Amino acid sequence: MEYIAGFQRLVFLALTVAAFVVQLWAFVDCLRFKDENYRAVDKQSKKFWAILLGVGLALALIALPPMGMSMIFLNIIALVAGIVYLTDVRPKVRAVDPRYRNR
């Protein structure tokens, strides 16, 4: 039984670190684009996404061990914000950015 518990801890750690990496990627990527790009595709403002993803990144950082299981719910909420940004907002904002138009 100790092997199973140890394996579960490793899986939980890997998922928590993966969630943190996704949040970090979304936050840094959000800061790369201008506010005009967000407004052009009608996806809130850069400030909105920077605050939302910054709070999500802070929650993901807090959820890393040793806090662990006590913060899992907040980490899931933060991860949803990062996934929404990366799958919905980022492609549209990137499409109107002049740096990426020819690619």
Side-chain angles (χ1 to χ4, degrees):
M1 290 306 252
E2 289 181 34
Y3 296 116
I4 294 173
F7 179 72
Q8 286 176 333
R9 280 192 289 275
L10 283 176
V11 169
F12 178 74
L13 176 64
L15 291 174
T16 305
V17 169
F20 176 76
V21 169
V22 167
Q23 283 299 110
L24 181 62
W25 176 28
F27 180 71
V28 170
D29 190 72
C30 166
L31 298 177
R32 292 180 38 223
F33 298 104
K34 295 180 181 179
D35 189 47
E36 294 84 29
N37 295 356
Y38 290 93
R39 300 243 183 239
V41 294
D42 200 27
K43 292 291 181 184
Q44 295 295 329
S45 66
K46 179 179 180 175
K47 183 178 179 180
F48 171 83
W49 285 107
I51 290 171
L52 184 69
L53 294 172
V55 169
L57 181 62
L59 292 175
L61 181 64
I62 292 170
L64 289 173
M67 293 295 282
M69 288 298 286
S70 63
M71 300 298 289
I72 186 75
F73 184 69
L74 294 176
N75 196 15
I76 291 171
I77 293 171
L79 183 61
V80 168
I83 290 172
V84 166
Y85 173 79
L86 290 172
T87 59
D88 181 43
V89 178
R90 181 180 185 261
K92 293 176 182 172
V93 170
R94 188 176 167 144
V96 299
D97 193 307
R99 296 175 292 181
Y100 299 102
R101 280 199 185 154
N102 295 331
R103 293 182 187 181

